[in-house]
């Protein structure tokens, strides 16, 4: 890696992956607008919203977020024309096209031979590009995909004009040392391309994998407020942003905004944040033992990894 600090883009998918956190979760239009506006104030680089082909509500919310003109908007589409049309009609800048290529995907999802999947990758990206969309191409279940097959799929996508490729740890199975090596390999093969990582938290490793991927050269991380997402969720946008500030890779975040956006998303999703959650948990900077309290009174850094004021907290114990 070069000596320059990495420039990491935060691709917040609270309004797409977060909407999949459990059956029945639903952000209303006004809640979606509120979340998108706060994400913009927080400085995320891209807002991922819905899957417009699903239904009229997804379409309407995507369109409304686009119309706010806050920042780049990306929406989800399967690798077919009608999903891409739905994304296009919602007015987004980017479409995130995803498909799996490994045996598990072929047995349980599309059930096509690999050659047909490859032509589908090419045709769908060609089509999206012909509509003037920017394309992120994700290999679903990248972690359980043999590296040469993964690189072949990315190669087809890049050849067809994909603007970004995405490694997805769909089932949250990869470990930090593994993702680091894979990212190095992908960057060696495609040094110029933007590379995103999407890490699920099933083994509690989403944040560690995100940091290890950044260390390997990835430049975009998919994340969601309060870590919302299917099953155990994905990398938490707020904790990631603070980690990046701590490492000197992002500017400090606007004070108080972190707590506000976390509280709003917790309320709208009906999913309270655990009191011991990093950064946003009520006890993240609380001290109990007498020894700890005394030391913190002398200097807050004695028992904290960062100054609580760094993230705009005034009230802590
Ligand atoms: C999904 C799967 C996905 C896709 C990620 C992406 C995953 O919800 O359909 O498109 O970048 O975890 O692989 O969220
Ligand atoms: Cu996911």
């Amino acid at each position: 890696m070069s000596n320059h600090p990495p420039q990491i883009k935060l691709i917040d998918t609270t309004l797409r992956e977060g909407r999949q956190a459990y059956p029945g979760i639903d952000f209303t239009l006004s809640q979606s607008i509120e979340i998108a506006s706060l994400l913009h104030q927080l400085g995320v680089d891209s807002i991922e919203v819905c899957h417009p082909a699903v239904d009229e509500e997804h379409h309407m919310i995507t369109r409304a977020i686009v119309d706010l003109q806050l920042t780049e908007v990306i929406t989800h589409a399967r690798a077919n024309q009608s999903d891409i049309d739905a994304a296009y009609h919602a007015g987004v800048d980017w479409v995130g096209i995803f498909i799996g290529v490994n045996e598990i995907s072929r047995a349980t999802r599309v059930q096509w031979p690999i050659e047909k999947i490859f032509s589908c990758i090419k045709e769908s990206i060609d089509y999206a590009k012909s509509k003037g969309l920017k394309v992120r191409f994700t290999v679903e279940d990248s972690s359980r995909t043999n590296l040469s097959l993964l690189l072949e799929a990315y190669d087809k996508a890049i050849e067809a004009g994909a603007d970004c490729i995405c490694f997805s740890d769909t089932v949250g199975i990869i470990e930090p040392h593994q993702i680091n090596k894979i990212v190095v390999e992908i960057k060696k093969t495609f040094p110029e391309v933007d590379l995103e990582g999407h890490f699920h938290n099933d083994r509690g490793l989403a944040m560690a994998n995100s940091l290890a991927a950044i260390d390997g050269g990835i430049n975009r991380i998919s994340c969601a407020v309060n870590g919302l997402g299917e099953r155990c969720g994905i990398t938490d946008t707020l904790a990631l942003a603070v980690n990046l500030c701590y490492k000197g890779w992002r500017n400090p975040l606007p004070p108080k905004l972190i707590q506000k956006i976390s509280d709003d998303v917790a309320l709208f999703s009906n999913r309270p944040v655990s009191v011991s959650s990093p950064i946003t948990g009520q006890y993240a900077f609380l001290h109990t033992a007498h020894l700890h309290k005394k030391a913190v009174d002398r200097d807050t850094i004695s028992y904290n990894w960062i100054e609580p004021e760094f993230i705009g907290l005034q009230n802590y114990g």
Side-chain angles (χ1 to χ4, degrees), residues 12 27 31 33 97 159 165-166 174 214 217 234 270 287 310:
D12 183 278
F27 295 122
Q31 290 171 345
I33 288 176
I97 297 176
E159 223 172 72
I165 53 175
C166 177
I174 209 158
I214 291 170
I234 64 168
N270 197 19
H287 305 281
F310 185 73

Side-chain angles (χ1 to χ4, degrees), residues 239-259:
L240 177 64
V242 176
N243 267 286
L244 298 182
C245 294
Y246 169 74
K247 290 175 84 71
W249 297 343
R250 265 190 99 83
N251 292 331
L253 301 162
K256 298 203 177 127
L257 196 58
I258 297 177
Q259 211 61 47

Side-chain angles (χ1 to χ4, degrees), residues 16-17 20 76 98 136 138 140-141 166 168 170 198 200:
R16 196 280 298 169
E17 175 79 49
Q20 300 172 212
H76 228 207
F98 64 100
R136 178 187 70 198
T138 297
E140 231 189 332
D141 205 6
C166 177
S168 184
T170 304
H198 177 91
H200 275 264

